[in-house]
Structures are given as C-alpha cells and as structure tokens.
Amino acid sequence: MKLAVVGGGSTYTPELIDGFARLRDTLPIEELVLVDPAADRLELVGGLARRIFAKQGHPGTITTTADLESGVAGADAVLLQLRIGGQAARNQDETWPLECGCVGQETTGAGGLAKALRTVPVVLDIAERVRRVAPEAWIIDFTNPVGIVTRALLQAGHRTVGLCNVAIGFQRKFAALLDLAPEQIHLDHVGLNHLTWERGVRIGGPQGEDVLPKLLAEHGDAISADLHLPREIVDRLGVVPSYYLRYYYAHDEVVRELKTSPSRASEVAAMEKKLLEMYGDPALDEKPELLAKRGGAFYSEAAVALASSLLRDTGDVQVVNTYNNGTLPFLADDAVIEVPAVVDASGTKPLPVAPLDPLYAGLIAHVTAYEDLALEAALRGGRDRVFKALLSHPLIGQYEYAEPLTDSLIAHNREHLAWA
C-alpha cells in the first residue's frame, strides 16, 4: 500500500506519521511519500518521520520529493494538507476583515473566502496531475476550507472525501468524560464543515442510548468552557455546537477579542519556527509535546480510519465531508455536508439524518448558498463574484461591509489570483 502526503513539509506532518506508525495494523503502509516544494522543511520533517517509524518498528519506507508526479505515481491514496501562501497569508486573513468590524478567521467569513480563492485552483491542478499518474487513488482532503475544496474536487469528478477533526475531537472528549472507549461513542453530528452540531451522543451505535442530556447535566460547565460559550446558551440549545459556531453566536464579542490579541497565525508561525528547530535534532524520534499546541488534534487517527475504510473496504461509519444526495432535503444533492457515513471501497453513503430544527437548517442553508457563490468565485474569478460571495455570507451581509472587504481581499491576495 502506497500513500502520498501532498504538503508533507508541514510542521503538522509528524502527527500524521505518529498515527501511521501506531496504527499500522489498521493501515499497513508499505511506502509513504512526503511531497512538498519547500526542500528545507521537507528535509527536516522527512528525517524526523523516518526516525519515528524506526523507533516504533514500522517496516514501511518513507521518501521525500518536490516532484508531485513521481511522488504520487501509483499511490492508493493521496492526502492533501496545503496552505497556499503559508502563515503570512493566514495572518492577513485573520486581520484585514477586522478593519470592517467583521470576524478575521482563516476558514469562515472574508478570510475563509480568501483562503478558498487561493486554494481551489491549486488543489484542482494537483488533483488533475494525480489522476494522470494514479487514476484509482482516493484523494483525502484535509485542506481548508474543507467543504468548498471537497466540493470543487467532487464536481471535477475526482475520487475524494473531505475530512475534519471536529467530530473525532468531540468523540474523544465525550468518551473521556463518560469513562468509555472512543469507539463506543457514536455522534449525531450534522451540518457543514466548521458549521456543525452534536444533537446526540449515543452509546454502542447509531441506535444506541442517547446520553447527551446526561453529559450536559453533569459536564455542562466543562463543555461550554471549551466552546467559549455561556453554559446557559448550551443548555438552552440542548445540543453541542462546534466551537466555530461562536463566530456566529457571539460575533461582536469575538471581533472585540481579536482586535486586542495577537493573531492565531502569528502564534502558529512562532511555534512552527521552534518545531522546525526541534525536528532538526537527530536525537528526536517522537513527536514533540509542543506539536499538540499546533492544532489538528486526532487528525492522524481520523486519517488512518478513513484511509483504511476506503482501501480495505471495511464499511465503517465515519464523519466525513461528502455529497448531500438527498440526506438534507432542503439542500441540493451536490452540496457538501458533514455527517456520519458508511465508508467502503465504493466511497461514502451518508446515514439518514433526522429532520433539523429551523434554527440549524436555516443557517446551514444560508452558508451553503455562500459556499455556492464562493466556489463560483474561486473557479471563475472576478470582482463581482467575490462581492456577491461576501454579501451572501451571514457574518457580513451588508454592502457597506462587502464593498471594502472585496477590495481588501483582492489587494491582499493579488499574487495568488490569476485573474486579479
């Protein structure tokens, strides 16, 4: 079995490597290729990756290359983890929207649109090149904004599934609170990427006992603190929203906080510099503790589980980003939703979803409309398309904001926009 990681020079890659090493019985990788044009980073990350495999007794080989075609040729699965423009572009995404009083965040609002515009054309180019040399490969997309990127890939006919770590993070957290093994927890997880709610926490499977009321009663303070939302709000909702919902439910409060604190991008950039120094230590043969602060907790476990289901035809239930295909009847079939699905060698089959309260269905429909326009702007370009996407976003929604945000987005991303 051959896997390739495009964006393999990321400081996050050792987290993936550790998961591949620990879970080698689930996903028996024989060859792993890290692909990245940044040769200096790739050398450091690749060296640590080999040492992690060696320490944990993994028999697979790890190679590195800047050449995409040779790296992915013959691969069974290709994992995409890209950040076009690096942390510098992310820092811009998180700052210039604040000038208009709007949230600055890398996956939602104006910053999220900027990331989509930079990313979608690059990902589609990579996917076409993968298709030429590995036509049967599954493309597993971690690249944000996952919903929009996955939809672009699916619409172009690629064998792809999108993956996020929000669901597995909740699964692990709830399992710890209940003193249960994570695999005993099944989530009634529904929505779009970075716009999801846990409506049920079931023991033993999709039809098992729902212990969410018990969780909220006994651990509501801890859960709401993690979400940075008042306990009262979580109790009134009776569900657990993902932490990204705070951008919607407490928008103005978040903007005030962001204006008075360093950007997350600046924090991560400093962290990455330190991590790369650590990776260069030939004595280091495990992922350092600092990496846990980088973000992306449990991604490796989620990636292994998803790749195993696709490549070994296991039929496991996983939370994925995939075509709606009637699952949420108020959305088009080609909308990309994030729900539990049966995953096997043929792809994904979403489980049935109980009808949604209008409080959630309305916001899902609204953001899906934005994603339609965002993808159109990413594929075809043009100031008017950018403006319409921004105007449609529920975190913006006024022309007096959308106009200057459009100009700022283009000005800050011109080098990445072929049409600008």
Side-chain angles (χ1 to χ4, degrees), residues 380-392:
R380 301 179 63 191
R383 187 185 188 282
D384 283 349
R385 294 188 181 95
V386 173
F387 171 77
K388 289 176 181 178
L390 290 169
L391 186 64
S392 73

Side-chain angles (χ1 to χ4, degrees), residues 108 129 142 213 222 262 336:
T108 193
R129 294 159 69 186
F142 302 161
V336 166

Side-chain angles (χ1 to χ4, degrees), residues 67-351:
D67 183 77
L68 178 71
E69 279 79 4
S70 65
V72 304
D76 297 287
V78 177
L79 284 62
L80 302 183
Q81 52 172 31
L82 309 177
R83 183 179 294 282
I84 307 305
Q87 294 299 331
R90 176 182 180 175
N91 187 66
Q92 292 181 351
D93 295 344
E94 294 176 343
T95 51
W96 55 262
L98 296 173
E99 297 170 7
C100 293
C102 296
V103 159
Q105 211 277 330
E106 65 161 339
T107 63
T108 193
L113 177 61
K115 187 175 179 68
L117 296 181
R118 293 194 303 268
T119 304
V120 165
V122 175
V123 167
L124 289 177
D125 175 66
I126 289 171
E128 287 298 329
R129 294 159 69 186
V130 169
R131 179 149 52 189
R132 287 197 292 269
V133 297
E136 298 303 313
W138 281 101
I139 295 177
I140 298 175
D141 177 53
F142 302 161
T143 300
N144 281 318
V146 166
I148 295 172
V149 173
T150 299
R151 187 171 180 183
L153 288 165
L154 287 170
Q155 287 186 350
H158 297 288
R159 288 160 54 88
T160 190
V161 182
L163 186 62
C164 181
N165 71 325
V166 167
I168 194 172
F170 276 131
Q171 181 201 46
R172 299 305 174 90
K173 186 171 299 180
F174 296 157
L177 292 172
L178 294 166
D179 196 24
L180 294 172
E183 56 269 20
Q184 293 179 267
I185 302 294
H186 178 89
L187 300 176
D188 180 1
H189 177 103
V190 64
L192 311 176
N193 180 241
H194 291 185
L195 193 87
T196 52
W197 297 263
E198 311 304 330
R199 296 189 301 169
V201 179
R202 300 186 180 277
I203 307 299
Q207 305 305 318
E209 176 192 3
D210 183 10
V211 296
L212 179 57
K214 175 184 176 181
L215 269 172
L216 291 177
E218 298 180 0
H219 304 285
D221 287 343
I223 292 170
S224 58
D226 283 343
L227 301 173
H228 298 283
L229 289 172
R231 167 76 184 268
E232 177 192 1
I233 296 299
V234 177
D235 285 342
R236 288 172 67 185
L237 292 174
V239 302
V240 179
S242 82
Y243 43 85
Y244 289 94
L245 265 298
R246 186 168 184 257
Y247 298 119
Y248 298 82
Y249 294 162
H251 176 275
D252 293 353
E253 178 183 349
V254 172
V255 168
R256 288 192 294 270
E257 292 174 2
L258 293 175
K259 284 184 173 181
T260 58
S261 60
S263 70
R264 174 62 177 164
S266 64
E267 295 174 350
V268 172
M271 202 178 304
E272 286 195 333
K273 182 178 180 181
K274 178 62 176 176
L275 284 169
L276 289 170
E277 292 173 358
M278 297 172 74
Y279 294 172
D281 180 356
L284 183 66
D285 56 8
E286 60 186 11
K287 63 177 183 179
E289 290 185 12
L290 179 62
L291 187 54
K293 299 179 181 179
R294 168 70 176 77
F298 308 118
Y299 252 130
S300 59
E301 285 89 341
V304 167
L306 178 55
S308 177
S309 294
L310 292 168
L311 301 179
R312 305 182 79 185
D313 198 26
T314 63
D316 296 333
V317 174
Q318 323 246 346
V319 173
V320 296
N321 284 261
T322 189
Y323 269 152
N324 177 47
N325 282 339
T327 307
L328 301 181
F330 55 89
L331 296 183
D333 285 349
D334 67 350
V336 166
I337 60 174
E338 186 172 293
V339 292
V342 175
V343 184
D344 57 24
S346 67
T348 61
K349 303 176 187 67
L351 298 180

Side-chain angles (χ1 to χ4, degrees), residues 53-72:
F53 262 32
K55 181 179 182 180
Q56 299 197 32
H58 195 296
T61 61
I62 296 177
T63 58
T64 61
T65 182
D67 183 77
L68 178 71
E69 279 79 4
S70 65
V72 304

